[in-house]
Amino acid sequence: MTVLRVEAGSSGDLAALEDSSRYAGRTPYYLHYRVTKNKDGAVKGPSFDVGDGKKRLTLLNVLPAFPTPTVGPDGEFTYADAPKFDKCTDDDSSEKFEKAAKGASYEACSIYLTDEGDSAAPSEVKWVEGDRREEKDIAVWK
């Protein structure tokens, strides 16, 4: 796991979300990282904490709208796509990664939000394992 960069966004980026007014006053930060497989077989996905050492930003899970199918002219159901963020795109390599050989890599991005009215940039990223009560830091980037 390697953190490539943390990029600040603007509150306007959140307009892509349904009910974007719910996110007023919050600033998105885009965590870009690379995952490299160091063993064959299935691997567990990354878990990051992004913050200033005292306060964590909130991970924004961007999913398609729950399910609101549309029936096309051919009678097939389609579902709404997840909102898109120009600064944070993934190429779905993570699904292929599980079957890939040792040494394979992919790059991905996650979005983290400040609290309302707080625009202070995060100063560290932690790769963590375990649940919040028994969390263990694997690596820290500052």
Side-chain angles (χ1 to χ4, degrees):
M1 197 83 60
T2 303
V3 171
L4 302 173
R5 69 187 181 281
V6 177
E7 182 180 6
S10 71
S11 57
D13 295 348
L14 302 174
L17 299 172
E18 187 174 312
D19 193 15
S20 61
S21 62
R22 182 174 157 204
Y23 302 95
R26 300 181 82 174
T27 302
Y29 284 88
Y30 303 98
L31 170 64
H32 298 268
Y33 59 94
R34 178 182 305 117
V35 179
T36 302
K37 202 168 190 180
N38 62 10
K39 62 181 180 179
D40 287 324
V43 294
K44 187 176 167 187
S47 180
F48 291 111
D49 279 343
V50 177
D52 64 5
K54 297 175 191 169
K55 193 174 184 182
R56 296 178 183 163
L57 276 65
T58 303
L59 174 64
L60 176 65
N61 286 315
V62 182
L63 302 171
F66 181 70
T68 308
T70 303
V71 180
D74 58 1
E76 294 292 318
F77 285 98
T78 58
Y79 296 89
D81 289 332
K84 303 290 184 203
F85 290 83
D86 292 338
K87 294 179 183 173
C88 195
T89 58
D90 289 337
D91 63 4
D92 293 331
S93 295
S94 59
E95 291 178 17
K96 299 173 194 165
F97 188 64
E98 195 158 313
K99 296 177 184 174
K102 180 179 174 181
S105 294
Y106 76 94
E107 291 186 11
C109 178
S110 297
I111 304 170
Y112 291 82
L113 299 175
T114 62
D115 288 339
E116 186 175 343
D118 184 5
S119 62
S123 57
E124 70 179 23
V125 176
K126 292 181 181 182
W127 171 19
V128 295
E129 285 188 346
D131 65 29
R132 294 287 181 211
R133 292 169 290 172
E134 298 176 17
E135 192 172 88
K136 179 173 99 172
D137 296 348
I138 305 299
V140 179
W141 292 267
K142 293 187 177 210

